[in-house]
Amino acid sequence: MAQSQAAPHEPVQATSHTEPEYGAVATATRLPRPLQSVPATVTVLRREELDANPALTSDGALRIVPSVMTFRRSTSLTADPSSQGLNLRGVGPSGVSRTLVLVDGVPANDPFAGSIYWRALPRLGLDRIEVVPGGGSALYGSAALAGVVQLISRSHAPSFDADALYGRFNTAQLAARGAYEGESLGGSLEGEYLRSDGYKVVSREDRGPVDRDADSWHGTLNGGLQWNASRTLTLRSALRAFQEAQNGGTRSTTAALRSGLLSLGGTLALERSAELSLNLFGRMQRFDQDRARVAMGRVSETLAGRQRVPANDEGVNLLYRSPTLAGHVLSAGLDARRIWGESREQTQRAGGQQYLAGVFVQDLFTISDEVELDAALRGDLVRNVDGQRVAMDLRSEYDARTDYALSPRVGALWHIMPRLTARASLYRAFRAATLNELYRPFQVGTIYTAANPRLKNELLHGFEAGLELTPGTNLVLRATGFWNRLDAPITNVTVGDGMRERRNLGYAQVRGLESSVEHRWLPYLTSIAAYTLSASEVKDSANLNGKRLPQDPVHRGSLLLVFDRPEWFGAALTVRASGRQYEDDLNTLPMKAYAVVDISVSRRVGWNLELFAAVENLFDITYLVGRAGVDTIGPPLLARGGVRIRQR
């Protein structure tokens, strides 16, 4: 896991974590930039680390980064898809993601609800994952309030890869990817199927006759083409199809998703290294969810609600990059997106349309070999129209609303001396409420939460500053302090017994520290220890002053050990720890701290064939992930083994 200002386009060997890397990342500035030229903090999970990570899904692999938190501490193998929000540095954890997740520049956040369908993002076709915490609205607009995570696909260089595994709970996975690249045309095709009988998600103390294993399955099929039409013009297309079905632990608690996405793009090389790129995408999906009403003692259940959510969105982005002029690289861009969605339930229907559009400019200025500056400014428009809710015979129609946001960001990088680098950033970011938050009420367990069409934009004002010290070629020390003020955070506020409503609070402060130590003990043995302190406090709210934001632990840490000696074997050990946190806004439902250990080991038995085994939650630790009316627990020990083919 490289935590730095950049990472190379091509994967590097796991033994070179602490060696200087002079490649580029694309997320922090929306342009490929070398390591020594990006002021922002970037953490990169590379191809080799994704292969070695014992986790089975992309969200599981991301949890090795302590600043990354998924809602309710659960895994996408069992968590309801609508609760899989993502936050960075503890900025407003909720089922709605306050972090923008991109796949090759295309938003992966659910257009209607803002959550993330992690199982739709398979790992076999990934080159790397880039994590950029801190307000990202200056370049990406709404949804990038707390930062950006981008999954970047591998090139179309000729290769064939396949995985087959089987493990506890009848967990089975088949995945394969092939790629071809000719003189002017290249393409790839990737598929994945995964199923599991799951486990009982309700805690043993609360469990009753209605509780059953939370089984699930999903399938993905992704294809891509690239055509080098001329010396200066490259055209791209990608098609992604996904389907999943999950049981939430009772007969009448289910969720399912079907989605399809088509993206088209092109890049035109201009004179003197200038560049113009255009990308378009369209998505259609349907999310289905059933909810149960469970009797006292969990002895019986009845169907309480059935939700069907058709949604679609289309988007376009245009980006221009100038040639280098007197140390300046200027860029300018335009993004636009239309979202439509409607929740259809037995007793109500709610939804509307949302339009988002923004323009930005950015200046990357190399003052000298020692100092780099980055300044960006973006203006956004958010318009909500056709908002309505029909409950029984009562129709509520909501007036169209238009909001504006201005998002600046400035950053600086200073090479104080050859082995010491400082960086700092100051930013303002925003997030517009989703259609789901504005118009649709919902119920989890015994807790009913009302929608609120009057919700305002959330605003984030923040600052970060850090140092990176490389005493030798085998050791890297990093520390970054951050301070964020989240104005008008949208929170589920308790308004009565079993009743909550989405509301904007006054503001919350989130302050903390990220730190890591990377050490290469031997050419084939590397360790990375990381720790994040994130202390949140609600302010200017009558009933919640001094309370912590829900689902936000103060302390988070991780340890990664990677052993990679192909003539012997490869192995990885991860330790993930999370401190005490609260389920609710009143801080009355605590969830204790926990730590889990995951391991993997692999052995090459032929030129391209590899045997592997992995265990998640090695010591079978039981820990809470939710307390919404009933206590739910995280996944127990999951052991599995299989074979891999890696042909490159």
Side-chain angles (χ1 to χ4, degrees), residues 194-482:
L194 187 151
R195 68 165 305 277
S196 177
D197 288 347
Y199 64 96
K200 292 181 173 62
V201 297
V202 174
S203 67
R204 188 176 299 275
E205 294 78 11
D206 291 348
R207 203 173 294 164
V210 303
D211 294 304
R212 52 177 282 186
D213 292 337
D215 59 277
S216 65
W217 69 269
H218 79 256
T220 63
L221 184 63
N222 301 329
L225 289 173
Q226 179 171 306
W227 178 34
N228 299 320
S230 70
R231 186 175 57 85
T232 59
L233 178 63
T234 300
L235 301 177
R236 301 175 300 274
S237 66
L239 179 65
R240 299 177 177 271
F242 173 70
Q243 185 171 0
E244 74 170 339
Q246 293 183 318
N247 179 278
T250 77
R251 178 177 52 84
S252 299
T253 306
T254 63
L257 176 75
R258 289 174 293 172
S259 70
L261 182 142
L262 174 66
S263 64
L264 303 169
T267 301
L268 179 64
L270 305 174
E271 294 182 355
R272 299 172 59 190
S273 299
E275 190 175 86
L276 182 67
S277 63
L278 174 68
N279 293 284
L280 306 98
F281 73 89
R283 168 174 28 220
M284 297 183 66
Q285 68 177 46
R286 172 168 163 162
F287 175 66
D288 297 342
Q289 184 183 65
D290 288 355
R291 280 292 169 260
R293 181 178 293 108
V294 179
M296 291 290 292
R298 303 187 67 78
V299 297
S300 64
E301 65 174 328
T302 57
L303 182 64
R306 176 164 287 165
Q307 180 191 16
R308 304 293 181 258
V309 187
N312 58 66
D313 64 326
E314 305 86 33
V316 58
N317 67 72
L318 180 67
L319 177 65
Y320 169 76
R321 182 188 69 187
S322 78
T324 302
L325 302 171
H328 295 269
V329 176
L330 300 176
S331 60
L334 163 70
D335 299 286
R337 187 180 184 190
R338 184 204 71 93
I339 297 170
W340 174 86
E342 184 176 70
S343 173
R344 301 169 181 172
E345 303 177 55
Q346 292 169 302
T347 59
Q348 69 173 6
R349 189 172 76 249
Q353 290 194 79
Q354 188 172 66
Y355 295 88
L356 303 102
V359 294
F360 72 89
V361 293
Q362 178 181 230
D363 182 11
L364 303 171
F365 181 26
T366 303
I367 296 178
S368 66
D369 291 341
E370 290 76 30
V371 179
E372 304 270 351
L373 296 180
D374 175 10
L377 179 65
R378 179 180 175 115
D380 277 278
L381 175 149
V382 180
R383 182 166 174 80
N384 298 309
V385 300
D386 301 331
Q388 62 175 323
R389 181 185 175 215
V390 180
M392 306 301 284
D393 294 328
L394 179 63
R395 175 186 293 270
S396 300
E397 296 184 351
Y398 306 105
D399 293 338
R401 274 179 45 188
T402 303
D403 295 317
Y404 303 92
L406 195 65
S407 304
R409 181 182 180 109
V410 294
L413 178 72
W414 179 24
H415 298 290
I416 302 172
M417 56 183 67
R419 296 190 179 274
L420 181 63
T421 300
R423 58 184 178 272
S425 295
L426 182 68
Y427 47 81
R428 183 179 189 264
F430 85 104
R431 185 184 75 86
T434 64
L435 295 173
N436 184 68
E437 290 173 303
L438 291 167
Y439 306 126
R440 178 190 172 257
F442 70 97
Q443 184 164 338
V444 176
T446 59
I447 308 298
Y448 177 86
T449 302
N452 186 349
R454 301 175 300 279
L455 291 172
K456 301 182 296 184
N457 290 345
E458 298 178 333
L459 296 176
L460 183 75
H461 301 83
F463 172 79
E464 66 175 48
L467 292 172
E468 179 175 323
L469 176 64
T470 310
T473 58
N474 297 325
L475 181 64
V476 179
L477 308 173
R478 303 183 183 92
T480 301
F482 57 88

Side-chain angles (χ1 to χ4, degrees), residues 47 58 103-104 119-127 152-154 156 160-163 173-179 187-193 219-224 239-241:
R47 171 73 253 160
S58 296
V103 179
D104 299 328
R119 294 170 66 144
L121 309 175
R123 289 160 43 180
L124 194 60
L126 295 181
D127 175 62
I152 298 177
S153 298
R154 293 161 56 185
H156 295 140
F160 177 76
D161 301 82
D163 288 351
Q173 182 189 44
L174 292 172
R177 179 186 185 272
S188 63
L189 183 65
E190 174 188 8
E192 178 182 271
Y193 173 80
T220 63
L221 184 63
N222 301 329
L239 179 65
R240 299 177 177 271

